[in-house]
Structures are given as structure tokens and as C-alpha cells.
């Protein structure tokens, strides 16, 4: 049951302050709605001066570390993925999660897998939404080569034809950045390999990982250009929008940008779910947008109430995000089917979103996301491993062994700390 701490009156002190730091959203229309409509209305209704600071995606992690060191800062911080390594500095967000499930129904399964430490029982954050992981591809080119990108094997075969016959290579990042880490984990999942096993033990060193690396090398050599080894977080977006590549893995951001700017490539773009491999299909959500409330926050009760009220208004949020932010709690947007069907001009373009969550996992799959998997992600160990093999700098065996040697002490450190 919802505890009084989450609904304490905001009127005890005439006007309170709530400080929020968020990474700058990829969709300007969403930021306008959030900052200038929802936040202002909520502040007026709750006698609270809400101050929102938007920062670059690459800045927020260090800014959070600085706040921990000072033991002061914002009341709410939004990250692109869970931050279990900050568990000792956050409140337990269990009450917010349980109240959301009481009001709106169950969250998607990968939410709990992402947001709960099974060893300590702590909810180290609150996942307000997720960004869908999708293939964005040039339908005209894939029609011309006579197939659809529904399997990794098809992407390799048809991607080679797209590159050679249409000068439109595949564009999957192998750079040391966020896109690559998520895309390559999707590839790994379909080859039956992962950073850890269900019990939270390092499991990268396996025959399945070797097969994934061999496939990744072939995919790079046969379908891609060498520049993907140095791509940054925006490189795949820019390549698709310029018409330079035939396929990439990303969120809704590419197709929405093409629509907003009425680019020549826009009519040819299509969306698809993640491709199938020898062990099925799926992969981590591209983003699991996670709020944390510090233990040292000055307005904890206000932050808790803000999140609950925000979830109640999430149907407006999803519209303004252009489906870039999908509901972690499906019951917050019961009219999702109608919303997906509503956009005019490209009938059926967004139908892929309706059952997308069924195939999405967390970053720690098949176990829970934890401080070790978060650190492995931040150190870009997986993208580095694939890049070394693709470029010929290391054999699959050597690259895998080196990555495993980096991962094992990370897990041991957090196990010794009592977090996994």
C-alpha cells in the first residue's frame, strides 16, 4: 500500500523547490512539452518551483559523480540506463514502483530485471519509459535485392548485394559508443551469448561468443565501410538521413528526423524488429530511461510525487516524443494501439511498436542488470572486442579472452562489495 511519505502535503512550506537534471532529449517537441507544459503545470498545482536542467548525454554521468562527492545536487536525475553502481547513494524506489503497478498494472518484465538488485532487494532507480530498439532500413534497396532484413543471415547476404550493387552498405556501429554496445548485445543474444549468466557470473568466454565474433567480422567485411569502426553516437543517424547506408539499429529518432525535415530518403524508410539468429531474436531496449532520487536530495517527497503524476500523464508524453519514449507501465497508455495508428501519411509504419516489448531484454540479460554489467557497458568492452576482430587487430579467441580478463575483476569487485 502507498505510504504517507509519498503523499505528504507540499504546502507545509509555502513554495518548495524541486531540481531535475535530464539528458537533453533527442526529440525537441518532447522537451518543449515536458519543460514548458507538464513541469510548469505540475509546479503550479503543487506550490513547487521546478527547475529543469538539460545536459548532454555524455555529461550526466560525471555530473552525477560530482554530486555524490559533494553530497548535494538535484532531487531527480534521468539517465539513459539504470545506474546500479549508485545504489548506496539513492533511496529505495520500491514504493514508487509498487504504487505505479497498483494504479496502472504491471511493468514490462525487463523493467524489474533492469531496476532491482536481487541480492539487496533495493530498487536502485525508477524506469519511466524505454526507447524501442529497431531496425531502420531503406525499403527500396532491400526490395531491389529481393529480401527483408528479418534475420542476421539475410542482413549479411543481402547487405553485401546492397553495398556492391547499390552503393548502400549496412551501417551498424563498431565504435566505442552507446549505439554499438546495444546493437552488438542484440547480435550476441541471438547467438546465445552474454556478458553474464542468469546467476550473475561472467559468461562471455564461450563457443557461442566466438561464433558471434566470427559472424560480426564477416558482416563487417562483406557489408560495411571501414568508418563504422570510428562512429560516434550520431553517426548512424546521419548516415541513414544522408542516404549513405541501407540499414542500421537505433530507435525512432532517425525516421522521425527524416519526417520532420521532409528529407528525400524519408519515403523509402521502414522499421522492423530486431533480426533473428540461431538462438532466436531480441536484445536490450535501446534506452531504459531511469530516474534516481539521491538519499541526500532536499525534496524526496516532492520527487516521488512528481514521478507518480508524470506517469499518470504519460499518454501526452508518448505523443510528444513521437513514440521515442514508450511506456514502462503499459497501463499508463491503454490507447496505445489507437495512437500508433493515428499518424497519417505512412499507413502502418509504426505497427511494429505494438508488440515490440515482448522481445526486449535488459542490459544484464539473462540475469539482472547490476553494477558490474553497468561498468562493463561504460568501459565499452564489448564494442572494443568486436572492433578488434572486425579490423583484424585480434583473432576472435584472443579478443574474447582479453575481454573476459577485463570483465572478471569488475564482477569480483562488485561481488566483494556485496552488490552482486
Amino acid at each position: 500500500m502507498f505510504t504517507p511519505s509519498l503523499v505528504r502535503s507540499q504546502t507545509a512550506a509555502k513554495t518548495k523547490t524541486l531540481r531535475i537534471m535530464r539528458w537533453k532529449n533527442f526529440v525537441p517537441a518532447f522537451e518543449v512539452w515536458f519543460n514548458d507544459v507538464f513541469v510548469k503545470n505540475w509546479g503550479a498545482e503543487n506550490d513547487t518551483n521546478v527547475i529543469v536542467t538539460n545536459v548532454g548525454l555524455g555529461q550526466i554521468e560525471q555530473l552525477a559523480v560530482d554530486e555524490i562527492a559533494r553530497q548535494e545536487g538535484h532531487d531527480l536525475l534521468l539517465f539513459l540506463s539504470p545506474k546500479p553502481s549508485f545504489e548506496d547513494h539513492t533511496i529505495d524506489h520500491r514504493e514508487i514502483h509498487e504504487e505505479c503497478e497498483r494504479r496502472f498494472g504491471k511493468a514490462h518484465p525487463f523493467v524489474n530485471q533492469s531496476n532491482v538488485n536481487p541480492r539487496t532487494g533495493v530498487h536502485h532507480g525508477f524506469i519511466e519509459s524505454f526507447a524501442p530498439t529497431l531496425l531502420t532500413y531503406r525499403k527500396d534497396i532491400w526490395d531491389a535485392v529481393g529480401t527483408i532484413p528479418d534475420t542476421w543471415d539475410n542482413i549479411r547476404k543481402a547487405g553485401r548485394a546492397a553495398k556492391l550493387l547499390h552503393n548502400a552498405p549496412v551501417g551498424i556501429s563498431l565504435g566505442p559508443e552507446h549505439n554499438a554496445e546495444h546493437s552488438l548485445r542484440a547480435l550476441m543474444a541471438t547467438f546465445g551469448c552474454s556478458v553474464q549468466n542468469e546467476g550473475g557470473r561472467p559468461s562471455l568466454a564461450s563457443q557461442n561468443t566466438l561464433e558471434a565474433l566470427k559472424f560480426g567480422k564477416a558482416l563487417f567485411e562483406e557489408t560495411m565501410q571501414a568508418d563504422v569502426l570510428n562512429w560516434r553516437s550520431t553517426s548512424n543517424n546521419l548516415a541513414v538521413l544522408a542516404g549513405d547506408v541501407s540499414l542500421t539499429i537505433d530507435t525512432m529518432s532517425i525516421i522521425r528526423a527524416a519526417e520532420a525535415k521532409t528529407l528525400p530518403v524519408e519515403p523509402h524508410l521502414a522499421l522492423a524488429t530486431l533480426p533473428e539468429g540461431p538462438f532466436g531474436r531480441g536484445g536490450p531496449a535501446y534506452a531504459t530511461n531511469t530516474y534516481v532520487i539521491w538519499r541526500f536530495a532536499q525534496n524526496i517527497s516532492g520527487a516521488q510525487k512528481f514521478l507518480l503524476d508524470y506517469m499518470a500523464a504519460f499518454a501526452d508524453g508518448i505523443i510528444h516524443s513521437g513514440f521515442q519514449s514508450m511506456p514502462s507501465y503499459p497501463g499508463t497508455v491503454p490507447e496505445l494501439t489507437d495512437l500508433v495508428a493515428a499518424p497519417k501519411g505512412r499507413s502502418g509504419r509504426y505497427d511494429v511498436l505494438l508488440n515490440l516489448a515482448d522481445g526486449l531484454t535488459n542490459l544484464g540479460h539473462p540475469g539482472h542488470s547490476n553494477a558490474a554489467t553497468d561498468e562493463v557497458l561504460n568501459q565499452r568492452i564489448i564494442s572494443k572486442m568486436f572492433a578488434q576482430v572486425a579490423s583484424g587487430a585480434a583473432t576472435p579467441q584472443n579478443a574474447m579472452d582479453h575481454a573476459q580478463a577485463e570483465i572478471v575483476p569488475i564482477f569480483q569487485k562488485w561481488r566483494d562489495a556485496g552488490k552482486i
Side-chain angles (χ1 to χ4, degrees), residues 251-329:
T251 66
M252 293 288 295
S253 60
I254 296 175
I255 208 161
R256 284 305 198 185
E259 291 170 347
K261 298 175 182 179
T262 61
L263 297 177
V265 74
E266 184 273 329
H268 306 297
L269 296 180
L271 300 171
T273 57
L274 288 169
E276 187 175 5
F279 286 76
R281 71 173 72 243
Y286 192 85
T288 39
N289 298 312
T290 304
Y291 273 108
V292 303
I293 302 172
W294 297 134
R295 289 184 179 180
F296 51 83
Q298 294 184 12
N299 192 357
I300 292 176
S301 61
Q304 292 169 317
K305 187 175 189 302
F306 180 90
L307 290 179
L308 290 169
D309 293 343
Y310 175 50
M311 290 295 94
F314 198 79
D316 286 340
I318 192 175
I319 293 169
H320 288 91
S321 78
F323 307 126
Q324 177 83 349
S325 298
M326 297 293 284
S328 294
Y329 299 82

Coordinates of all heavy atoms in Angstrom, one line a residue, residues 251-329:
T251 N 16.7 3.8 -32.6 CA 15.4 4.0 -32.0 C 14.5 4.6 -33.1 O 14.8 4.5 -34.3 CB 15.4 4.9 -30.8 OG1 15.8 6.2 -31.2 CG2 16.4 4.4 -29.8
M252 N 13.4 5.3 -32.7 CA 12.6 6.0 -33.7 C 13.2 7.3 -34.2 O 12.6 8.0 -35.0 CB 11.3 6.4 -32.9 CG 10.4 5.2 -32.6 SD 9.6 4.4 -34.0 CE 8.6 5.8 -34.6
S253 N 14.3 7.7 -33.6 CA 14.8 9.0 -33.8 C 15.2 9.3 -35.3 O 15.0 10.4 -35.8 CB 16.1 9.3 -33.0 OG 17.1 8.4 -33.3
I254 N 15.6 8.3 -36.0 CA 16.0 8.5 -37.4 C 14.8 8.8 -38.3 O 14.8 9.8 -39.0 CB 16.8 7.3 -37.9 CG1 18.1 7.1 -37.2 CG2 17.1 7.5 -39.4 CD1 18.9 5.9 -37.5
I255 N 13.8 7.9 -38.2 CA 12.7 8.1 -39.1 C 11.9 9.4 -38.7 O 11.3 10.1 -39.6 CB 11.8 6.8 -39.0 CG1 11.0 6.7 -40.3 CG2 10.9 6.8 -37.8 CD1 10.5 5.3 -40.5
R256 N 11.9 9.7 -37.4 CA 11.2 11.0 -37.0 C 11.9 12.2 -37.6 O 11.3 13.2 -38.0 CB 11.1 11.0 -35.5 CG 10.0 10.1 -34.9 CD 8.7 10.4 -35.5 NE 7.6 9.9 -34.8 CZ 6.3 9.9 -35.1 NH1 6.0 10.4 -36.3 NH2 5.4 9.4 -34.4
A257 N 13.3 12.2 -37.5 CA 14.0 13.3 -38.1 C 13.8 13.4 -39.6 O 13.7 14.5 -40.1 CB 15.5 13.1 -37.8
A258 N 13.7 12.3 -40.3 CA 13.5 12.3 -41.7 C 12.1 12.9 -42.0 O 12.0 13.7 -43.0 CB 13.6 10.9 -42.3
E259 N 11.1 12.6 -41.2 CA 9.8 13.1 -41.4 C 9.8 14.6 -41.1 O 9.2 15.4 -41.9 CB 8.8 12.4 -40.5 CG 8.6 10.9 -40.8 CD 7.8 10.2 -39.8 OE1 7.7 10.7 -38.7 OE2 7.3 9.1 -40.1
A260 N 10.4 15.0 -40.0 CA 10.3 16.4 -39.6 C 11.0 17.3 -40.6 O 10.6 18.4 -40.9 CB 11.0 16.6 -38.2
K261 N 12.1 16.8 -41.3 CA 12.8 17.6 -42.2 C 12.4 17.4 -43.7 O 13.0 17.9 -44.6 CB 14.3 17.3 -42.0 CG 14.8 17.7 -40.7 CD 16.3 17.3 -40.5 CE 16.8 17.7 -39.1 NZ 18.2 17.3 -38.9
T262 N 11.4 16.5 -43.9 CA 11.0 16.1 -45.2 C 12.2 15.8 -46.1 O 12.3 16.3 -47.2 CB 10.0 17.1 -45.8 OG1 10.8 18.4 -46.0 CG2 8.8 17.3 -45.0
L263 N 13.1 14.9 -45.7 CA 14.3 14.6 -46.4 C 13.9 13.6 -47.6 O 13.0 12.9 -47.5 CB 15.3 13.9 -45.5 CG 15.8 14.8 -44.3 CD1 16.7 14.0 -43.5 CD2 16.5 16.0 -44.9
P264 N 14.7 13.7 -48.6 CA 14.5 12.8 -49.8 C 14.4 11.3 -49.4 O 13.7 10.6 -50.1 CB 15.6 13.1 -50.7 CG 16.1 14.5 -50.3 CD 15.9 14.6 -48.9
V265 N 15.1 10.9 -48.4 CA 15.2 9.5 -48.1 C 13.9 9.0 -47.3 O 13.6 7.8 -47.3 CB 16.4 9.2 -47.2 CG1 16.3 9.7 -45.8 CG2 16.8 7.7 -47.2
E266 N 13.2 10.0 -46.8 CA 12.1 9.6 -45.9 C 11.0 8.6 -46.4 O 10.7 7.7 -45.8 CB 11.4 10.9 -45.4 CG 10.3 10.7 -44.4 CD 8.9 10.4 -45.0 OE1 8.7 10.9 -46.1 OE2 8.1 9.6 -44.4
P267 N 10.5 8.8 -47.7 CA 9.5 7.9 -48.2 C 10.0 6.4 -48.3 O 9.2 5.5 -48.3 CB 9.2 8.4 -49.6 CG 9.6 9.9 -49.5 CD 10.8 9.9 -48.7
H268 N 11.3 6.2 -48.3 CA 11.9 4.9 -48.5 C 12.2 4.2 -47.2 O 12.6 3.0 -47.2 CB 13.2 5.0 -49.4 CG 13.0 5.7 -50.7 ND1 12.1 5.2 -51.6 CD2 13.5 6.9 -51.1 CE1 12.1 6.1 -52.7 NE2 13.0 7.1 -52.4
L269 N 12.1 4.9 -46.1 CA 12.5 4.3 -44.8 C 11.4 3.4 -44.2 O 10.2 3.7 -44.3 CB 12.8 5.4 -43.8 CG 14.0 6.2 -44.1 CD1 14.3 7.3 -43.0 CD2 15.3 5.4 -44.3
A270 N 11.8 2.3 -43.6 CA 10.9 1.4 -42.9 C 11.5 0.9 -41.6 O 12.7 1.0 -41.4 CB 10.6 0.2 -43.9
L271 N 10.6 0.4 -40.7 CA 11.0 -0.1 -39.4 C 10.8 -1.6 -39.3 O 9.9 -2.1 -40.0 CB 10.2 0.6 -38.3 CG 10.4 2.1 -38.2 CD1 9.4 2.7 -37.3 CD2 11.8 2.5 -37.8
A272 N 11.6 -2.2 -38.6 CA 11.4 -3.7 -38.3 C 12.0 -4.0 -37.0 O 12.8 -3.3 -36.4 CB 12.2 -4.5 -39.4
T273 N 11.5 -5.2 -36.4 CA 12.0 -5.6 -35.2 C 13.5 -6.1 -35.3 O 13.9 -6.3 -36.5 CB 11.2 -6.8 -34.6 OG1 11.1 -7.8 -35.6 CG2 9.8 -6.3 -34.3
L274 N 14.1 -6.4 -34.2 CA 15.5 -6.9 -34.3 C 15.5 -8.2 -35.0 O 14.6 -9.0 -34.9 CB 16.1 -7.1 -32.9 CG 16.4 -5.7 -32.2 CD1 16.7 -6.0 -30.7 CD2 17.6 -5.1 -32.8
P275 N 16.6 -8.5 -35.8 CA 16.6 -9.7 -36.6 C 16.8 -11.0 -35.8 O 17.3 -11.0 -34.6 CB 17.8 -9.5 -37.5 CG 18.7 -8.5 -36.8 CD 17.7 -7.7 -36.0
E276 N 16.4 -12.1 -36.4 CA 16.6 -13.4 -35.7 C 17.9 -14.0 -36.0 O 18.5 -13.8 -37.1 CB 15.5 -14.3 -36.3 CG 15.4 -15.7 -35.6 CD 14.2 -16.5 -36.0 OE1 13.5 -16.1 -37.0 OE2 14.0 -17.6 -35.5
G277 N 18.4 -14.8 -35.1 CA 19.7 -15.5 -35.2 C 19.5 -17.0 -34.8 O 18.4 -17.4 -34.7
P278 N 20.6 -17.7 -34.7 CA 20.5 -19.1 -34.4 C 19.7 -19.4 -33.1 O 19.2 -20.5 -32.9 CB 21.9 -19.6 -34.3 CG 22.7 -18.6 -35.0 CD 22.0 -17.3 -34.9
F279 N 19.7 -18.5 -32.1 CA 19.1 -18.7 -30.8 C 17.8 -17.7 -30.7 O 17.5 -17.4 -29.6 CB 20.1 -18.4 -29.7 CG 21.1 -19.5 -29.5 CD1 22.1 -19.7 -30.4 CD2 20.9 -20.5 -28.5 CE1 23.1 -20.7 -30.2 CE2 21.8 -21.5 -28.3 CZ 22.9 -21.6 -29.2
G280 N 17.2 -17.4 -31.8 CA 16.0 -16.5 -31.7 C 16.3 -15.1 -32.0 O 17.3 -14.7 -32.6
R281 N 15.4 -14.2 -31.6 CA 15.6 -12.8 -31.8 C 15.4 -12.0 -30.5 O 14.8 -12.5 -29.5 CB 14.6 -12.3 -32.8 CG 13.1 -12.2 -32.4 CD 12.2 -11.6 -33.5 NE 12.0 -12.4 -34.6 CZ 12.5 -12.1 -35.8 NH1 13.1 -11.0 -36.0 NH2 12.2 -12.9 -36.9
G282 N 15.9 -10.8 -30.5 CA 15.7 -10.0 -29.3 C 17.0 -9.2 -29.0 O 18.0 -9.3 -29.8
G283 N 17.0 -8.5 -27.9 CA 18.1 -7.7 -27.5 C 17.7 -6.6 -26.5 O 16.5 -6.5 -26.2
P284 N 18.6 -5.9 -25.9 CA 18.2 -4.9 -24.9 C 17.5 -3.7 -25.5 O 17.7 -3.3 -26.6 CB 19.6 -4.5 -24.3 CG 20.6 -4.7 -25.4 CD 20.0 -5.9 -26.2
A285 N 16.6 -3.2 -24.7 CA 15.9 -1.9 -25.0 C 17.0 -0.9 -25.2 O 18.0 -0.9 -24.5 CB 15.0 -1.5 -23.9
Y286 N 16.8 -0.1 -26.3 CA 17.9 0.9 -26.6 C 18.2 1.9 -25.5 O 19.3 2.3 -25.3 CB 17.4 1.7 -27.9 CG 18.5 2.5 -28.5 CD1 19.3 1.9 -29.4 CD2 18.7 3.8 -28.2 CE1 20.4 2.6 -30.0 CE2 19.7 4.5 -28.8 CZ 20.5 3.9 -29.7 OH 21.5 4.7 -30.3
A287 N 17.1 2.2 -24.8 CA 17.3 3.0 -23.6 C 16.2 2.6 -22.6 O 15.1 2.3 -23.0 CB 17.2 4.5 -23.9
T288 N 16.6 2.5 -21.3 CA 15.6 2.3 -20.2 C 15.8 3.6 -19.4 O 16.6 3.7 -18.5 CB 15.9 1.1 -19.4 OG1 17.3 0.9 -19.3 CG2 15.3 -0.2 -20.1
N289 N 15.0 4.6 -19.7 CA 15.1 5.9 -19.1 C 14.8 5.9 -17.6 O 13.7 5.6 -17.2 CB 14.2 6.9 -19.8 CG 14.5 7.0 -21.3 OD1 15.6 7.2 -21.7 ND2 13.5 6.9 -22.1
T290 N 15.9 6.1 -16.8 CA 15.8 5.8 -15.4 C 16.1 7.0 -14.6 O 17.1 7.7 -14.7 CB 16.9 4.7 -15.0 OG1 16.7 3.6 -15.9 CG2 16.8 4.3 -13.6
Y291 N 15.1 7.3 -13.7 CA 15.3 8.4 -12.7 C 15.8 7.8 -11.5 O 15.5 6.7 -11.0 CB 13.9 9.0 -12.4 CG 13.5 10.2 -13.3 CD1 12.5 10.0 -14.2 CD2 14.1 11.4 -13.3 CE1 12.1 11.0 -15.1 CE2 13.7 12.4 -14.1 CZ 12.7 12.2 -15.0 OH 12.3 13.3 -15.8
V292 N 16.7 8.6 -10.8 CA 17.2 8.3 -9.5 C 16.9 9.5 -8.6 O 17.0 10.6 -9.0 CB 18.6 7.8 -9.4 CG1 18.9 6.6 -10.3 CG2 19.6 9.0 -9.7
I293 N 16.6 9.2 -7.3 CA 16.5 10.2 -6.3 C 17.6 9.9 -5.2 O 17.7 8.8 -4.7 CB 15.1 10.1 -5.6 CG1 14.0 10.2 -6.6 CG2 15.0 11.1 -4.5 CD1 12.6 10.0 -6.0
W294 N 18.5 10.9 -5.0 CA 19.5 10.8 -4.1 C 19.0 10.7 -2.7 O 18.0 11.3 -2.3 CB 20.5 11.9 -4.1 CG 21.2 12.2 -5.4 CD1 21.4 13.4 -6.0 CD2 22.0 11.3 -6.2 NE1 22.2 13.3 -7.1 CE2 22.6 12.0 -7.3 CE3 22.2 9.9 -6.1 CZ2 23.3 11.4 -8.3 CZ3 23.0 9.3 -7.1 CH2 23.5 10.0 -8.2
R295 N 19.7 10.0 -1.8 CA 19.4 10.0 -0.4 C 19.6 11.3 0.2 O 18.9 11.7 1.2 CB 20.4 9.0 0.3 CG 20.1 7.5 0.1 CD 21.0 6.6 0.9 NE 20.7 5.2 0.7 CZ 21.3 4.2 1.3 NH1 22.3 4.5 2.2 NH2 21.0 3.0 1.1
F296 N 20.5 12.1 -0.4 CA 20.8 13.5 0.2 C 19.9 14.5 -0.5 O 20.1 15.7 -0.3 CB 22.2 13.8 0.1 CG 22.8 13.6 -1.3 CD1 22.7 14.5 -2.3 CD2 23.5 12.4 -1.6 CE1 23.3 14.3 -3.6 CE2 24.1 12.2 -2.8 CZ 24.0 13.2 -3.8
A297 N 19.0 14.1 -1.4 CA 18.1 15.1 -2.0 C 17.3 15.9 -1.0 O 16.9 15.4 0.0 CB 17.1 14.4 -3.0
Q298 N 17.1 17.2 -1.3 CA 16.4 18.0 -0.4 C 14.9 17.9 -0.4 O 14.2 18.3 0.5 CB 16.8 19.5 -0.6 CG 18.3 19.8 -0.3 CD 18.6 21.2 -0.5 OE1 17.8 22.1 -0.6 NE2 19.9 21.5 -0.5
N299 N 14.3 17.4 -1.5 CA 12.9 17.3 -1.7 C 12.5 15.9 -2.2 O 12.0 15.7 -3.3 CB 12.4 18.4 -2.6 CG 10.9 18.5 -2.6 OD1 10.2 17.8 -1.9 ND2 10.3 19.4 -3.4
I300 N 12.8 14.9 -1.3 CA 12.5 13.5 -1.7 C 11.0 13.3 -2.0 O 10.6 12.7 -3.0 CB 13.0 12.5 -0.7 CG1 14.6 12.6 -0.7 CG2 12.5 11.1 -0.9 CD1 15.2 11.7 0.4
S301 N 10.2 13.8 -1.0 CA 8.7 13.5 -1.2 C 8.2 14.2 -2.4 O 7.3 13.6 -3.1 CB 8.0 14.0 0.0 OG 8.1 15.4 0.2
G302 N 8.7 15.4 -2.8 CA 8.3 16.1 -4.0 C 8.7 15.3 -5.2 O 7.9 15.2 -6.2
A303 N 9.9 14.8 -5.2 CA 10.4 14.0 -6.3 C 9.6 12.7 -6.5 O 9.2 12.4 -7.7 CB 11.9 13.6 -6.1
Q304 N 9.2 12.1 -5.5 CA 8.3 10.9 -5.6 C 7.0 11.2 -6.2 O 6.5 10.5 -7.0 CB 8.2 10.2 -4.2 CG 9.5 9.7 -3.6 CD 9.3 9.3 -2.2 OE1 8.7 10.0 -1.4 NE2 9.9 8.1 -1.8
K305 N 6.4 12.3 -5.7 CA 5.1 12.6 -6.2 C 5.1 13.1 -7.6 O 4.2 12.8 -8.4 CB 4.5 13.8 -5.3 CG 3.0 14.1 -5.7 CD 2.4 15.1 -4.8 CE 0.9 15.3 -5.0 NZ 0.6 15.6 -6.4
F306 N 6.2 13.8 -8.0 CA 6.4 14.2 -9.4 C 6.4 13.0 -10.3 O 5.7 13.0 -11.4 CB 7.7 15.0 -9.5 CG 8.0 15.5 -10.9 CD1 7.5 16.7 -11.3 CD2 8.7 14.7 -11.8 CE1 7.8 17.2 -12.6 CE2 8.9 15.1 -13.1 CZ 8.4 16.4 -13.5
L307 N 7.1 12.0 -10.0 CA 7.2 10.8 -10.8 C 5.8 10.1 -11.0 O 5.4 9.7 -12.1 CB 8.2 9.8 -10.3 CG 9.7 10.2 -10.4 CD1 10.6 9.2 -9.7 CD2 10.1 10.5 -11.8
L308 N 5.1 10.0 -9.9 CA 3.8 9.4 -10.0 C 2.8 10.2 -10.8 O 2.1 9.6 -11.7 CB 3.2 9.2 -8.6 CG 3.9 8.1 -7.7 CD1 3.4 8.2 -6.3 CD2 3.6 6.7 -8.3
D309 N 2.8 11.5 -10.7 CA 2.0 12.3 -11.5 C 2.4 12.3 -13.0 O 1.6 12.4 -13.9 CB 2.0 13.8 -10.9 CG 1.3 13.9 -9.6 OD1 0.6 12.9 -9.2 OD2 1.5 14.9 -8.9
Y310 N 3.7 12.3 -13.2 CA 4.2 12.2 -14.6 C 3.7 10.9 -15.2 O 3.3 10.9 -16.4 CB 5.7 12.2 -14.5 CG 6.4 12.0 -15.8 CD1 6.1 12.7 -17.0 CD2 7.5 11.2 -15.9 CE1 6.7 12.6 -18.2 CE2 8.2 11.0 -17.1 CZ 7.8 11.7 -18.2 OH 8.4 11.5 -19.4
M311 N 3.8 9.8 -14.5 CA 3.3 8.5 -15.1 C 1.8 8.6 -15.4 O 1.4 8.1 -16.4 CB 3.5 7.4 -14.1 CG 5.0 7.0 -13.9 SD 5.7 6.3 -15.5 CE 6.5 7.8 -16.2
A312 N 1.0 9.3 -14.6 CA -0.4 9.5 -14.9 C -0.6 10.3 -16.2 O -1.7 10.2 -16.8 CB -1.1 10.1 -13.7
A313 N 0.3 11.1 -16.6 CA 0.2 12.0 -17.8 C 1.0 11.4 -18.9 O 1.2 12.1 -19.9 CB 0.7 13.4 -17.4
F314 N 1.4 10.2 -18.8 CA 2.4 9.6 -19.8 C 1.8 9.5 -21.2 O 2.6 9.6 -22.2 CB 2.9 8.3 -19.4 CG 4.2 7.9 -20.1 CD1 5.4 8.5 -19.7 CD2 4.2 7.1 -21.2 CE1 6.6 8.2 -20.4 CE2 5.3 6.8 -21.9 CZ 6.5 7.4 -21.5
A315 N 0.5 9.4 -21.4 CA -0.1 9.4 -22.7 C 0.2 10.6 -23.5 O 0.5 10.5 -24.7 CB -1.6 9.2 -22.6
D316 N 0.2 11.8 -22.8 CA 0.6 13.0 -23.5 C 2.1 13.0 -23.9 O 2.5 13.4 -25.0 CB 0.4 14.2 -22.6 CG -1.1 14.6 -22.5 OD1 -1.9 14.1 -23.4 OD2 -1.5 15.2 -21.6
G317 N 2.9 12.4 -23.0 CA 4.3 12.3 -23.2 C 4.7 11.5 -24.4 O 5.6 11.9 -25.2
I318 N 4.0 10.4 -24.6 CA 4.4 9.5 -25.7 C 4.0 10.1 -27.0 O 4.8 10.0 -28.0 CB 3.6 8.1 -25.6 CG1 4.2 7.1 -26.5 CG2 2.1 8.2 -25.8 CD1 3.6 5.7 -26.4
I319 N 3.0 10.9 -27.1 CA 2.6 11.6 -28.3 C 3.7 12.6 -28.7 O 4.2 12.7 -29.8 CB 1.2 12.3 -28.2 CG1 0.1 11.3 -28.0 CG2 1.0 13.2 -29.4 CD1 -1.2 11.9 -27.6
H320 N 4.1 13.4 -27.7 CA 5.1 14.5 -28.0 C 6.5 13.9 -28.2 O 7.3 14.5 -28.8 CB 5.1 15.5 -26.8 CG 3.9 16.3 -26.8 ND1 2.8 16.0 -26.1 CD2 3.7 17.5 -27.4 CE1 1.9 17.0 -26.3 NE2 2.4 17.9 -27.1
S321 N 6.8 12.7 -27.8 CA 8.1 12.0 -28.0 C 8.1 11.4 -29.4 O 9.1 10.9 -29.8 CB 8.4 11.0 -27.0 OG 7.7 9.8 -27.2
G322 N 7.0 11.3 -30.1 CA 6.9 10.6 -31.4 C 7.2 9.2 -31.3 O 7.8 8.6 -32.1
F323 N 6.8 8.6 -30.1 CA 7.0 7.2 -29.8 C 8.4 6.8 -29.5 O 8.8 5.7 -29.4 CB 6.5 6.2 -30.9 CG 5.0 6.5 -31.3 CD1 4.7 6.7 -32.7 CD2 4.0 6.5 -30.4 CE1 3.4 6.9 -33.0 CE2 2.7 6.7 -30.8 CZ 2.4 6.9 -32.1
Q324 N 9.2 7.9 -29.3 CA 10.6 7.6 -28.9 C 10.7 7.1 -27.4 O 11.5 6.4 -27.1 CB 11.4 9.0 -29.0 CG 12.8 8.9 -28.5 CD 13.8 8.4 -29.6 OE1 13.4 7.8 -30.6 NE2 15.1 8.5 -29.3
S325 N 9.7 7.6 -26.6 CA 9.6 7.1 -25.2 C 8.4 6.3 -25.1 O 7.2 6.8 -25.1 CB 9.6 8.3 -24.3 OG 10.7 9.1 -24.4
M326 N 8.5 5.0 -24.9 CA 7.4 4.0 -24.8 C 7.2 3.7 -23.3 O 8.1 3.8 -22.5 CB 7.7 2.8 -25.6 CG 7.8 3.0 -27.1 SD 6.3 3.5 -27.9 CE 5.4 1.9 -28.0
P327 N 5.9 3.4 -23.0 CA 5.6 3.2 -21.5 C 6.2 2.0 -20.9 O 6.0 0.9 -21.4 CB 4.1 3.2 -21.5 CG 3.7 2.7 -22.9 CD 4.7 3.2 -23.8
S328 N 6.9 2.2 -19.8 CA 7.3 1.0 -19.0 C 6.2 0.3 -18.4 O 6.2 -0.9 -18.2 CB 8.3 1.5 -17.9 OG 9.5 2.0 -18.4
Y329 N 5.1 1.1 -18.0 CA 3.9 0.5 -17.5 C 2.8 0.6 -18.5 O 2.3 1.7 -18.7 CB 3.5 1.3 -16.2 CG 4.5 1.2 -15.1 CD1 5.7 2.1 -15.1 CD2 4.4 0.3 -14.1 CE1 6.6 2.0 -14.1 CE2 5.4 0.2 -13.1 CZ 6.5 1.0 -13.1 OH 7.4 1.0 -12.1

